[in-house]
C-alpha cells in the first residue's frame, strides 16, 4: 500500500533538510543540521525531531547539541509528539509555531497573465532577484544587521542541493521589475514538489503577482509529473486561508520551537 501524502511530504522535508545542510549530526530522536556559511539562518541550523523523544529532556538536548549557536530552533515533525514537547520548551523560553502541511487538491490553474520566469540570485549586489529579496527582507526586519539579511537572502544557494531540481520563480511587472517570487523544489522521480517562500514586495501587494508566482509553480510541478504538490503554512497567519482558497487542503501539522 502506498504511503499517504502526509508521510511522503514529511519524508521529503526531512530529506531536503539533510541534503542542503553543510553538516548533519545524529541526535537521539532526530538530527541536527548545520551550515556555518549561513549561521543566521535558523532553517539551516536547527534540530529536526522525528521521535521517539523525551519531551522533558528536549531543552537539555538542544542546549547540548546547539551550545555553540546563539539561537535554538527545533522542529518536531510528529504531530502527536509536538504538543507534548510544548510545555517543557515553553518553560525553557521557547516560542511555539504550528506549521500546517497543505496539499494541492484543486485543478492545476490556467497560466497567469503576469510574466513569470526562473531566476538566479544574480551577481552581488546587482542581481534583480537578489535586489528584490534584500529590499523586502529589510522591510520585514528593519532592525536586522547586514550579516543577518545577507544570510537570509544567500541561503537560497544552499537550497539548490536540497532536491533534484530547485527553481526560483519570479513574477515581473510591465517594466521588468520583480514583484513576487516563489521557491519550487522538485523530485520528479518520486512525484513530489514543494512550494515555499511565496512572497510579494510591498510596493506590489494585492495586484495578483503572488497568484502568478504560485500558479507558475503549480504548473511547472504538474508538468514535471509531480502529482503530490505541497507547502507549509503558519497555522495562525493569514496565508493559510489564502492557500485554502487556491486549492490547498491541510493534511497534517508539525511544530516549530524557537529561542533567541
Amino acid at each position: 500500500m502506498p504511503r499517504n501524502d502526509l508521510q511522503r511530504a514529511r519524508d521529503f522535508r526531512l530529506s531536503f533538510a539533510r541534503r542542503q545542510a553543510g553538516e548533519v549530526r545524529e541526535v537521539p530522536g532526530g538530527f541536527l543540521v548545520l551550515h556555518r556559511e549561513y549561521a543566521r539562518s535558523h532553517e539551516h541550523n536547527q534540530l529536526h525531531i522525528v521521535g521517539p523523544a523525551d519531551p522533558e529532556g528536549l531543552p537539555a538536548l538542544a542546549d547540548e547539541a546547539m551550545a555553540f549557536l546563539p539561537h535554538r530552533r527545533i522542529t518536531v515533525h510528529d504531530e502527536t509528539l509536538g504538543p507534548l514537547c510544548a510545555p517543557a520548551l515553553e518553560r525553557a523560553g521557547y516560542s511555539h509555531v504550528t506549521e500546517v502541511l497543505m496539499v494541492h487538491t484543486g485543478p492545476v490553474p490556467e497560466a497567469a497573465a503576469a510574466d513569470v520566469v526562473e531566476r538566479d540570485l544574480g551577481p552581488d549586489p546587482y542581481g534583480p532577484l537578489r535586489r528584490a529579496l534584500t529590499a523586502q527582507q529589510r522591510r520585514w526586519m528593519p532592525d536586522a544587521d547586514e550579516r543577518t539579511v545577507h544570510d537570509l537572502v544567500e541561503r537560497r544557494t544552499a537550497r539548490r542541493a536540497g532536491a533534484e531540481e530547485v527553481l526560483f520563480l519570479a513574477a515581473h511587472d510591465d517594466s521588468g521589475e520583480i514583484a513576487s517570487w516563489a521557491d519550487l523544489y522538485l523530485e520528479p522521480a518520486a512525484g513530489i514538489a514543494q512550494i515555499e517562500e511565496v512572497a510579494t514586495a510591498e510596493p506590489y501587494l494585492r495586484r495578483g503577482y503572488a497568484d502568478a508566482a504560485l500558479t507558475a509553480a503549480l504548473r511547472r510541478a504538474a508538468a514535471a509529473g509531480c502529482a503530490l504538490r505541497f507547502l507549509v503554512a503558519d497555522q495562525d497567519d493569514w496565508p493559510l486561508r489564502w492557500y485554502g482558497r487556491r486549492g490547498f487542503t491541510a493534511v497534517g501539522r508539525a511544530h516549530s520551537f524557537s529561542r533567541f
Side-chain angles (χ1 to χ4, degrees):
M1 179 181 295
R3 291 172 297 170
N4 62 35
D5 287 347
L6 175 58
Q7 189 59 53
R8 293 177 66 210
R10 281 180 176 157
D11 290 347
F12 180 87
R13 293 187 74 196
L14 293 167
S15 171
F16 194 93
R18 286 181 177 273
R19 290 167 67 174
Q20 70 167 331
E23 180 183 352
V24 178
R25 299 180 183 177
E26 304 301 323
V27 301
F31 58 94
L32 172 70
V33 294
L34 299 170
H35 209 306
R36 310 282 180 149
E37 191 170 349
Y38 310 106
R40 305 292 180 88
S41 171
H42 295 185
E43 171 192 353
H44 291 91
N45 298 273
Q46 67 165 311
L47 277 174
H48 290 274
I49 300 297
V50 296
D54 171 22
E56 292 297 323
L58 198 50
L61 174 64
D63 283 342
E64 179 181 359
M66 307 176 74
F68 51 91
L69 293 171
H71 70 271
R72 301 287 182 269
R73 172 72 176 270
I74 306 166
T75 298
V76 182
H77 294 268
D78 185 299
E79 60 185 318
T80 300
L81 179 61
L84 297 177
C85 295
L89 288 168
E90 288 171 354
R91 286 196 302 270
Y94 285 76
S95 61
H96 177 197
V97 172
T98 301
E99 300 176 341
V100 181
L101 276 71
M102 306 185 79
V103 169
H104 188 249
T105 56
V108 177
E110 297 294 326
D115 178 34
V116 180
V117 298
E118 183 183 352
R119 284 279 195 179
D120 286 321
L121 283 175
D124 186 10
Y126 304 110
L129 181 57
R130 177 182 273 107
R131 285 203 317 270
L133 293 168
T134 300
Q136 187 57 42
Q137 196 67 55
R138 287 176 175 147
R139 294 185 189 104
W140 285 330
M141 302 176 67
D143 298 326
D145 60 26
E146 286 303 304
R147 177 58 193 274
T148 298
V149 172
H150 171 275
D151 285 5
L152 295 181
V153 172
E154 299 296 328
R155 64 185 178 181
R156 286 165 179 80
T157 302
R159 290 178 185 157
R160 289 284 192 191
E164 184 177 335
E165 296 180 54
V166 174
L167 308 180
F168 305 136
L169 304 176
H172 299 71
D173 69 5
D174 292 339
S175 70
E177 289 298 312
I178 292 177
S180 190
W181 50 86
D183 284 10
L184 177 60
Y185 314 141
L186 298 168
E187 203 70 32
I192 300 175
Q194 181 179 4
I195 300 167
E196 287 301 331
E197 297 277 351
V198 180
T200 300
E202 285 184 14
Y204 296 96
L205 291 173
R206 289 179 288 278
R207 291 164 58 181
Y209 289 109
D211 263 314
L214 179 63
T215 292
L218 287 169
R219 290 177 62 82
R220 279 171 167 78
C226 297
L228 175 55
R229 302 177 289 274
F230 79 98
L231 53 78
V232 180
D234 184 335
Q235 179 172 275
D236 299 318
D237 206 356
W238 66 265
L240 182 77
R241 298 180 293 278
W242 188 84
Y243 289 125
R245 294 193 296 271
R246 285 153 180 82
F248 285 86
T249 301
V251 296
R253 285 162 175 76
H255 297 266
S256 177
F257 301 91
S258 299
R259 193 182 77 198
F260 304 97

